[in-house]
Amino acid sequence: MSLIASRYAEAFFSLGLDKKCVKEFKDELNTVKDIFAEVENIKEFFISERVSKADKKKIISDALANKTSKDTINFLLLLVDKGRISYYEEIIDSYIHLANDELQIKEGIIESVRPLDTDKVKELEKALSKDGQKVELKQKINKALISGFKIKFDNQIIDASMKEKIDKMQELISRKGGQSWN
């Protein structure tokens, strides 16, 4: 994480604490990230010197109108003014990490071959949450798993993938003197 991203995330986090809007800002920044992810070449657009700051600010304001608070929009407009908007992903990730610490949420990753149903992910998050500490899982596609899923959080790995099962079978066969499939 860059120092620039940390500083801006900490500043916005401080505003969130002051306004008691940490969770709301976190949700809004996730919305920003999702909206920006849908725009092809958005980073190149933000980096381009051919596009004026006024045009960048208009695009942000228009895209986020009625989707986020004025505070979040103003924060992003400040990033444009300061020439830091190209760091938006790092800044958002840093803010989310700070917010999760404040909200006592553990961050984890769930890997699968294809996107999992949102209800299934919520069910897994609920099962992993305990002692007042909530778990939030980000989905990541990993075609090497063949099927099933793999969860990484809090220095733990829960591997319910077909690849893991095949690897364990291979190891068992090797220990019993059988041939490996490689």
Side-chain angles (χ1 to χ4, degrees):
M1 191 69 50
S2 73
L3 185 58
I4 291 169
S6 295
R7 285 186 179 163
Y8 281 95
E10 287 170 11
F12 195 53
F13 179 71
S14 179
L15 179 66
L17 286 173
D18 290 346
K19 291 190 164 205
K20 297 182 181 6
C21 294
V22 170
K23 184 183 181 332
E24 291 80 2
F25 287 172
K26 175 188 165 196
D27 294 342
E28 290 177 3
L29 288 175
N30 274 319
T31 298
V32 168
K33 202 172 180 182
D34 291 343
I35 290 170
F36 285 0
E38 293 175 10
V39 180
E40 192 174 322
N41 301 321
I42 190 72
K43 251 197 171 150
E44 290 80 8
F45 172 79
F46 286 142
I47 293 170
S48 176
E49 292 182 17
R50 290 181 170 182
V51 181
S52 71
K53 286 183 178 181
D55 288 342
K56 292 175 188 178
K57 290 165 87 171
K58 181 166 177 21
I59 293 290
I60 289 170
S61 296
D62 291 348
L64 301 177
N66 303 320
K67 293 181 177 92
T68 65
S69 67
K70 280 214 176 276
D71 289 322
T72 298
I73 292 172
N74 288 338
F75 176 65
L76 295 169
L77 298 180
L78 173 74
L79 294 178
V80 171
D81 284 337
K82 298 292 184 181
R84 303 296 192 209
I85 191 66
S86 62
Y87 291 91
Y88 78 89
E89 285 179 298
E90 281 183 75
I91 293 168
I92 290 172
D93 289 343
S94 184
Y95 180 92
I96 290 169
H97 184 71
L98 291 167
N100 284 344
D101 283 348
E102 177 70 19
L103 300 168
Q104 295 188 336
I105 297 172
K106 291 182 184 178
E107 301 171 41
I109 296 173
I110 183 165
E111 297 179 21
S112 59
V113 176
R114 62 184 182 288
L116 297 173
D117 179 54
T118 305
D119 291 336
K120 182 66 174 172
V121 174
K122 295 288 180 208
E123 189 179 311
L124 289 166
E125 288 173 339
K126 186 175 179 182
L128 295 170
S129 298
K130 59 183 170 194
D131 301 326
Q133 193 123 57
K134 187 178 176 196
V135 173
E136 283 186 359
L137 299 172
K138 286 185 187 177
Q139 289 197 55
K140 181 179 174 188
I141 302 300
N142 181 348
K143 300 282 185 188
L145 296 179
I146 304 169
S147 71
F149 59 86
K150 185 178 193 176
I151 298 173
K152 299 175 189 176
F153 84 102
D154 199 30
N155 297 322
Q156 297 179 44
I157 297 177
I158 300 168
D159 197 335
S161 68
M162 184 58 73
K163 181 182 181 327
E164 177 69 9
K165 290 176 184 174
I166 291 170
D167 289 347
K168 283 184 178 180
M169 278 194 282
Q170 252 186 316
E171 184 181 320
L172 182 65
I173 290 169
S174 294
R175 277 192 271 146
K176 298 213 180 217
Q179 294 278 333
S180 176
W181 293 331
N182 292 336

